[in-house]
Amino acid sequence: MGVIVKGKPVADALLARVQADARMLVEKGAPLCLAVILVGDDAASQIYVGKKHETCAKVGIESRMYHLPATTSQESLLDLIQTLNEDKKVTGILVQLPLPAHIHARQILRSIDTHKDVDAFSMLLDMSGDDLVPCTAGGILELIHSTGVQVAGKNCVVVGRSNIVGKPMAMLLLQENGTVTICHSGTVDLGEKTKQADILIVAVGKKKLITADMVKDGAFVVDIGMNRDGEGKLCGDVDFEAIKDKASYITPVPGGVGPMTIAMLMVNTVEAAKRQFAAAHPE
């Protein structure tokens, strides 16, 4: 059996570091505040926002919650973001997705001050080695690093091309000198591509899409999917039971990547605050 890579121990280590850094910033008198905007009453989004608020409290980050009705206009949302951009006490801004259909999400995300963009979606527009990284993709990289596996020189296949996971994941792997292939709904003979992967990362939201015959012996398999099987149980995009004995490392669903996303959000929030404080107080 391959090694099952669970997210909680790695996330806990990151959060311990964040807590120490947050304490140091507060002692210096630096502002440290995450503003989270939720538009509408999507049940899953409310759960995610609640978890972010709880984690902020746990590690010593002030958090503000802005819960707006689903009828909120795009102009009103842009006005709120501009107010938060100008508020020196707010060091991180996050707009919870999805947004209601009448709001243009891309324009909203672009309106966030890049120095306060702790979701790091602006990374897709201008990436450098010093950028904050999107939380899920960054969390996956931390999981890989935690095992001692090196990305450099590996064939890496990312299944999924979303702006939230697939594209930034591919960019991070490239930055670490992996050789990257991105697969998607238009890919012909997906299995032939995935069988070449030393590192296989799957984020499409289709239960058990990746079967054992599509995976190379000894591959590192990261499953980001969150689905329910015929019995209503949570499962990923990967057939875990069929692949766990073939992979060298594999993440479970649930309990794999999930804990890393909020941990990386906390990392980004503290890092953004550090940079803003340093810019305002040059030595």
Side-chain angles (χ1 to χ4, degrees), residues 10-228:
V10 183
D12 285 348
L14 285 176
L15 291 174
R17 190 183 81 197
V18 166
Q19 188 172 34
D21 287 349
R23 187 183 302 114
M24 178 190 68
L25 280 170
V26 171
E27 287 173 354
K28 289 181 177 179
L32 176 57
C33 176
L34 173 64
V36 179
I37 302 171
L38 172 63
V39 185
D41 297 306
D42 180 81
S45 291
Q46 290 186 65
I47 291 171
Y48 297 148
V49 166
K51 288 181 178 178
K52 290 166 185 175
H53 182 72
E54 289 173 9
T55 309
C56 280
K58 189 180 298 183
V59 299
I61 296 172
E62 179 189 351
S63 62
R64 297 185 193 174
M65 170 66 178
Y66 296 85
H67 191 174
L68 308 179
T71 54
T72 298
S73 69
Q74 177 149 318
E75 291 72 21
S76 294
L77 182 53
L78 287 170
D79 286 345
L80 173 58
I81 292 171
Q82 185 57 34
T83 297
L84 296 173
N85 282 341
E86 295 171 0
D87 188 339
K88 295 187 183 302
K89 293 182 179 179
V90 172
T91 53
I93 302 171
L94 182 153
V95 177
Q96 183 67 43
L97 301 178
L99 289 167
H102 68 279
I103 295 178
H104 194 285
R106 188 172 180 84
Q107 184 176 346
I108 294 301
L109 297 176
R110 283 176 179 268
S111 73
I112 298 171
D113 183 333
T114 55
H115 298 98
K116 299 185 179 187
D117 177 18
V118 291
D119 255 340
F121 290 134
S122 58
M123 167 210 181
L124 291 172
L125 306 175
D126 181 22
M127 180 180 176
S128 75
D130 294 327
D131 287 332
L132 299 179
V133 299
C135 301
T136 300
I140 291 166
L141 204 58
E142 288 287 344
L143 275 182
I144 294 172
H145 289 164
S146 75
T147 67
V149 170
Q150 299 295 313
V151 173
K154 300 290 195 307
N155 288 325
C156 306
V157 175
V158 179
V159 184
R161 55 180 167 181
S162 74
N163 289 335
I164 295 174
V165 181
K167 289 177 184 175
M169 190 74 250
M171 294 171 75
L172 289 179
L173 293 167
L174 281 171
Q175 199 173 55
E176 297 219 347
N177 293 319
T179 300
V180 181
T181 300
I182 303 177
C183 298
H184 45 77
S185 57
T187 298
V188 176
D189 202 348
L190 176 63
E192 284 303 309
K193 305 292 191 302
T194 57
K195 280 193 293 189
Q196 305 303 313
D198 301 307
I199 298 174
L200 175 62
I201 298 171
V202 190
V204 293
K206 187 173 181 180
K207 63 182 179 183
K208 300 182 181 181
L209 170 68
I210 305 298
T211 53
D213 61 317
M214 300 169 69
V215 175
K216 178 181 181 179
D217 286 342
F220 195 129
V221 180
V222 180
D223 189 353
I224 311 165
M226 187 66 74
N227 317 291
R228 293 197 180 273

